[in-house]
Amino acid sequence: MNAPTEFARAVCPHDCPDTCAMRVTIEDGRAVKVVGDPDHPPTQGALCAKVTRYAERVHHPNRLTTPLKRVGRKGEGRFAPISWDEAFELAAARLSEIANRAPEAIVPYSYAGTMGLVQGDSIAQRFFHKLGASQLDRTICAAAGAAGLKYTYGASLGMLTEFFAESEVILIWGSNPIASNLHFWTRAQEAKRRGARLIAIDPYRSLTAEKCHQHVALKPGTDGAFALGMINVLITENLLDHAYIAAHTLGFDELKARALTYPPSRAAQICGVDEQVIVDLARLYGSTKKAAIRMNYGLQRVRGGGNAVRAIACLPSLTGAWRERAGGMLLSSGGWAPVDSHAMQRPDLMPGWPAQASRVINMNAIGDALLHQGDATFGPKVEAIIVYNSNPVAVAPDSERVAAGFAREDLFTIVLEHFQTDTADYADLLLPATTQLEHLDVHKSYGHTHVMVNLPAIAPVGDARPNTEIFRGLARHMGLQEPALYDSDEAIAQSAFRWNDKTLEGVSWDSLKKTGWAALNLPDAPFAEGGFRTPSGKCEFFSERLAQQGLDPLPDYLPPYESAEGAPELAARYPLAMISPPARNFLNSTFVNIESLRSTEGEPHLDMHPADAQQRNIVDGDQVRIFNDRGAMQARARVTDKAREGLVVGLSIWWKKLAPDGRNANQVTSQALTDLGGSATFYDCLVEVERV
Ligand SMILES: Nc1nc2c(c(=O)[nH]1)N[C@H]1C(S)=C(S)[C@@H](COP(=O)(O)OP(=O)(O)OC[C@H]3O[C@@H](n4cnc5c(=O)[nH]c(N)nc54)[C@H](O)[C@@H]3O)O[C@H]1N2
Ligand SMILES: Nc1nc2c(c(=O)[nH]1)N[C@H]1C(S)=C(S)[C@@H](COP(=O)(O)OP(=O)(O)OC[C@H]3O[C@@H](n4cnc5c(=O)[nH]c(N)nc54)[C@H](O)[C@@H]3O)O[C@H]1N2
Ligand code: SF4
Ligand SMILES: [Mo]
């Protein structure tokens, strides 16, 4: 007889602003169906197409179910099963030997495969800190924007998502919510039905831009100039809230002087748009009370990304849009939840902390780091890398160098994974990790303001273990004597939040476990009366902290590294700007191996403008080669004016081994870093395209 059907509550773990609540149907110990929780206000009962397939992913026949040891050449992906004890013994012997001699030669590499605070970076960080391993600067996605916000407002905070539904104008800026922030799009559509005007600012006519009233197709990497042009108009036409500026901002006169150097004519020329577009948009924005900006990360993956976010973030403080709950700006709400990251990650376990913390490696330069021989400046050569929650061989920039680094015969590589990804192919030890349905976790969100609990719905598939359990096992086999390395998942989860913070009034670990989620206590219009988290408590148009670092204290426009303006000689050889934003049916490189989703995406495509195609004798459907000095990949051309002239778009991030030519967009992207935050510059990339 069949066991009765059960239901469990879970949280979508993916790197997505929406952090949905899920309901899982379980039969015979298997998850058979996953749906959006209708009772969770941000989720409203709807998941995206990808995660509706979550059960298919969890029980996929290719799930890793046992520890594996490499038997083939590096990168070949041939493995033999071993026991957990054997795996731990092998790992412990090699890591202990390195740790005794040169602990910084051990490098962790992780990102947001799961956004869970427990399976993300708790025991793992404690483990690396205790060893004195190198630290990883986790900058692959959002660091430029986060820095832009930090220097302007003090933290990653903004409008509450639900109130976008009441906005009258919404600028959707560097953001493609239909693909990547679905539940925000629901709010924007609600606003649209009530008469709001939606404007997309994006070099590409994305799925979202197609559905907005207006699409401003500026050149990639020019948003700082666009925003300064708007500020210029707001100032010269006096569309300002002088009382708000006087009470809640710092450095208006300096910002004014800067913005006056960006008359709309100059900004328009930089951005490749009509001057009138900037003027009209500034007028509309400045004369609307409930004017909201939904920025997203697409605009900050270029050299000037931090400054661009800073310039845009100034807008609502100039017009006083913050006074309304349906006005203001949102890039990330990640700063609202009172996460106790010190308690979770225990940086104090580092041998030299805080005076001599271990060296820091920027994850965007992992290719260079793995190929470095080591010297006094860099420190020791990297001898071991432990990858979890990430797939760097597919997602990290300048992939030729990343893959060459991982291919080093003398590098000891451990990968914790659900599947045999491009990175897993290079592992010496490949360890099977549990999915969200199999382990415990807690979550905040960067797109809404709830905290959430995920309880295990099913037993681990095969011999998979949670990341935490794997790091506890490593620590035990290495004989590490530190109680914090052995805390249970529940104990860690319980220490994730500062429960006495006023945003969590009335919420405890026990109550959260019962209810599954809790909305943070926040005012509807959090900055109606200022109260920002900068040193001055004001919106800092002028940042003393930036000045002290020898950086420009005011927002400015910085031309992309790879542009006619920034590098004319390079632009002559590689005239096309390439961006590679997320495909709707993948989540970064996750889900590429799920057949139903991959077949919806079809194959790697490159969208290019008819004029650019014609010049190169390319017609729709041709196989093309995309290349620059760093590398090359192939894709099928789609000739379309969705891409503005001079721009090519290759939706990402394909697993290399599932693409026909075994390559992906990161073959051509660069390891250069943004102006602020040391973020990646995926969309600051010149290429040439030819017919194959
Ligand atoms: N379906 C799906 N959802 C996802 C993801 C996914 O892979 N797939 N990834 C998740 C993650 S990790 C993240 S960070 C987010 C990413 O999602 P977003 O934060 O929305 O960022 P992107 O998709 O990188 O880019 C958004 C838009 O910015 C445009 N853009 C590119 N360059 C520029 C520029 O210079 N200026 C302006 N104004 N626009 C530009 C792109 O054409 C794109 O349409 O989505 C998350 N959600
Ligand atoms: N060309 C180009 N490159 C990009 C981008 C782009 O737009 N264009 N976007 C960039 C951005 S914004 C981001 S955020 C990064 C994302 O890069 P990553 O954070 O590496 O994201 P994913 O590719 O989704 O890989 C996450 C991996 O973690 C695994 N995983 C999930 N949960 C767990 C778990 O609990 N335990 C373990 N051990 N593993 C788990 C998944 O199976 C998956 O293989 O990529 C960046 N790369
Ligand atoms: S990926 Fe985003 S939209 Fe899809 S279920 Fe997860 S949180 Fe929701
Ligand atoms: Mo990201």
Side-chain angles (χ1 to χ4, degrees):
M1 205 179 76
N2 280 350
T5 301
E6 295 170 73
F7 299 94
R9 243 195 326 228
V11 178
C12 175
H14 291 296
D15 187 353
C16 168
D18 299 34
T19 321
C20 293
M22 319 196 285
R23 280 194 188 169
V24 189
T25 309
I26 303 154
E27 282 172 12
D28 293 330
R30 283 173 70 91
V32 293
K33 196 172 161 199
V34 175
V35 297
D37 193 326
D39 297 335
H40 183 235
T43 306
Q44 297 182 318
L47 303 178
C48 63
K50 308 174 286 297
V51 175
T52 306
R53 301 279 183 183
Y54 204 71
E56 195 180 324
R57 186 177 186 277
V58 168
H59 297 292
H60 194 283
N62 297 348
R63 264 296 290 283
L64 300 172
T65 54
T66 179
L68 297 168
K69 178 183 149 182
R70 174 166 72 93
V71 294
R73 276 178 297 106
K74 282 266 179 170
E76 203 183 351
R78 285 203 298 126
F79 296 97
I82 52 172
S83 71
W84 274 108
D85 271 340
E86 283 174 281
F88 283 139
E89 283 308 322
L90 275 168
R94 187 73 182 264
L95 294 178
S96 298
E97 189 277 316
I98 302 169
N100 289 334
R101 190 165 38 79
E104 288 177 330
I106 300 173
V107 175
Y109 191 100
S110 73
Y111 201 65
T114 171
M115 297 289 290
L117 297 169
V118 178
Q119 304 305 333
D121 275 304
S122 61
I123 295 283
Q125 288 273 34
R126 295 178 187 183
F127 171 80
F128 291 111
H129 289 154
K130 176 69 188 167
L131 288 185
S134 291
Q135 303 185 75
L136 187 76
D137 205 2
R138 290 174 173 78
T139 46
I140 202 164
C141 173
L149 291 183
K150 180 177 92 181
Y151 290 115
T152 314
Y153 289 120
S156 292
L157 305 172
M159 285 176 65
L160 306 195
T161 319
E162 50 266 46
F163 300 124
F164 277 93
E166 299 167 7
S167 303
E168 292 163 351
V169 164
I170 307 180
L171 307 190
I172 301 180
W173 204 324
S175 169
N176 179 15
I178 293 183
S180 58
N181 187 189
L182 200 58
H183 296 79
F184 162 77
W185 180 245
T186 309
R187 307 292 187 182
Q189 278 181 305
E190 240 174 285
K192 191 177 176 187
R193 280 195 294 275
R194 297 184 193 177
R197 188 170 168 82
L198 309 188
I199 297 136
I201 305 178
D202 191 318
Y204 177 59
R205 201 167 75 238
S206 67
L207 291 170
T208 305
E210 226 151 38
K211 296 216 157 50
C212 289
H213 297 100
Q214 185 187 351
H215 172 209
V216 179
L218 77 187
K219 288 188 188 167
T222 63
D223 302 85
F226 196 93
L228 284 160
M230 283 181 68
I231 295 173
N232 178 294
V233 177
L234 295 175
I235 291 172
T236 54
E237 301 195 3
N238 194 24
L239 296 164
L240 301 169
D241 183 333
H242 293 281
Y244 196 90
I245 292 170
H248 307 305
T249 74
L250 204 68
F252 174 73
D253 292 336
E254 290 91 339
L255 178 68
K256 177 176 174 184
R258 173 63 54 82
L260 290 180
T261 68
Y262 285 92
S265 55
R266 177 178 175 217
Q269 194 254 329
I270 293 169
C271 301
V273 301
D274 278 348
E275 178 179 344
Q276 201 57 41
V277 169
I278 299 179
V279 174
D280 289 346
L281 193 56
R283 284 180 184 156
L284 176 70
Y285 178 79
S287 59
T288 307
K289 272 194 151 179
K290 297 176 181 174
I293 301 175
R294 180 54 165 131
M295 266 195 266
N296 235 315
Y297 292 106
L299 76 94
Q300 47 96 69
R301 307 193 202 288
V302 291
R303 176 187 176 205
N307 268 277
V309 166
R310 229 166 105 53
I312 297 165
C314 292
L315 291 166
S317 288
L318 289 164
T319 62
W322 288 120
R323 292 184 189 277
E324 298 281 339
R325 69 180 190 180
M329 175 268 325
L330 177 67
L331 172 57
S332 164
S333 56
W336 287 119
V339 174
D340 192 343
S341 46
H342 182 95
M344 296 288 281
Q345 304 177 359
R346 298 293 307 275
D348 55 303
L349 296 177
M350 270 186 275
W353 194 82
Q356 280 182 307
S358 312
R359 87 160 153 202
V360 179
I361 289 182
N362 187 312
M363 71 190 298
N364 299 318
I366 194 65
D368 282 352
L370 290 177
L371 293 174
H372 203 294
Q373 291 306 309
D375 61 23
T377 323
F378 179 75
K381 178 175 173 176
V382 178
E383 295 183 57
I385 185 164
I386 300 166
V387 180
Y388 54 104
N389 301 340
S390 185
N391 183 13
V393 173
V395 307
D398 201 356
S399 197
E400 296 283 345
R401 287 184 65 75
V402 178
F406 273 98
R408 270 178 45 202
E409 278 298 334
D410 62 339
L411 180 72
F412 181 60
T413 302
I414 305 178
V415 176
L416 285 60
E417 252 301 347
H418 299 152
F419 291 101
Q420 192 175 332
T421 59
D422 289 334
T423 307
D425 282 344
Y426 289 88
D428 293 286
L429 279 177
L430 178 51
L431 305 178
T434 47
T435 69
Q436 186 80 338
L437 300 192
E438 303 149 58
H439 56 226
L440 179 133
D441 224 322
V442 287
H443 287 256
K444 64 170 185 175
S445 167
Y446 63 100
H448 62 66
T449 49
H450 285 211
V451 291
M452 302 167 76
V453 173
N454 177 80
L455 298 174
I458 58 172
V461 170
D463 252 346
R465 294 188 182 178
N467 291 345
T468 44
E469 185 56 27
I470 298 174
F471 282 102
R472 281 189 289 258
L474 278 172
R476 202 173 293 118
H477 281 77
M478 290 175 77
L480 299 179
Q481 311 276 330
E482 166 55 57
L485 297 176
Y486 303 102
D487 282 350
S488 69
D489 286 7
E490 176 139 2
I492 301 164
Q494 217 166 340
S495 69
F497 299 117
R498 286 179 275 105
W499 298 100
N500 57 358
D501 191 88
K502 65 179 190 313
T503 59
L504 282 175
E505 212 177 297
V507 184
S508 67
W509 168 244
D510 287 325
S511 76
L512 197 59
K513 263 203 307 189
K514 282 195 203 95
T515 54
W517 63 79
L520 297 172
N521 290 308
L522 295 168
D524 286 358
F527 305 118
E529 304 292 334
F532 300 110
R533 296 203 189 158
T534 51
S536 63
K538 298 187 176 186
C539 166
E540 298 190 349
F541 299 140
F542 181 98
S543 167
E544 193 55 50
R545 287 181 295 173
L546 284 171
Q548 276 164 13
Q549 297 169 58
L551 297 170
D552 191 341
L554 294 165
D556 202 355
Y557 161 66
L558 297 156
Y561 293 114
E562 303 198 0
S563 60
E565 234 183 316
E569 184 273 337
L570 186 75
R573 285 193 293 140
Y574 298 117
L576 299 170
M578 172 153 174
I579 60 171
S580 48
R584 186 181 190 177
N585 293 287
F586 302 151
L587 203 127
N588 301 322
S589 78
T590 302
F591 296 109
V592 179
N593 62 325
I594 304 303
E595 291 74 4
S596 56
L597 294 166
R598 186 168 74 249
S599 70
T600 314
E601 286 298 326
E603 62 184 320
H605 288 108
L606 188 77
D607 287 9
M608 66 191 302
H609 191 270
D612 294 321
Q614 201 186 5
Q615 265 182 39
R616 293 165 178 79
N617 281 321
I618 291 166
V619 298
D620 194 72
D622 275 349
Q623 196 66 20
V624 294
R625 181 169 170 271
I626 302 140
F627 62 99
N628 59 19
D629 290 342
R630 287 178 291 266
M633 69 168 290
Q634 292 191 14
R636 193 169 298 285
R638 289 193 297 211
V639 177
T640 164
D641 66 358
K642 285 183 187 177
R644 59 167 288 154
E645 214 175 322
L647 178 79
V648 293
V649 183
L651 299 181
S652 291
I653 310 171
W654 282 80
W655 282 24
K656 294 183 182 183
K657 61 180 161 187
L658 295 179
D661 68 336
R663 298 191 158 85
N664 75 11
N666 283 318
Q667 241 76 32
V668 291
T669 57
S670 100
Q671 296 180 64
L673 304 178
T674 53
D675 53 351
L676 302 175
S679 222
T681 54
F682 290 108
Y683 304 165
D684 189 328
C685 173
L686 286 175
V687 298
E688 182 52 288
V689 177
E690 64 186 15
R691 226 172 84 191
V692 177

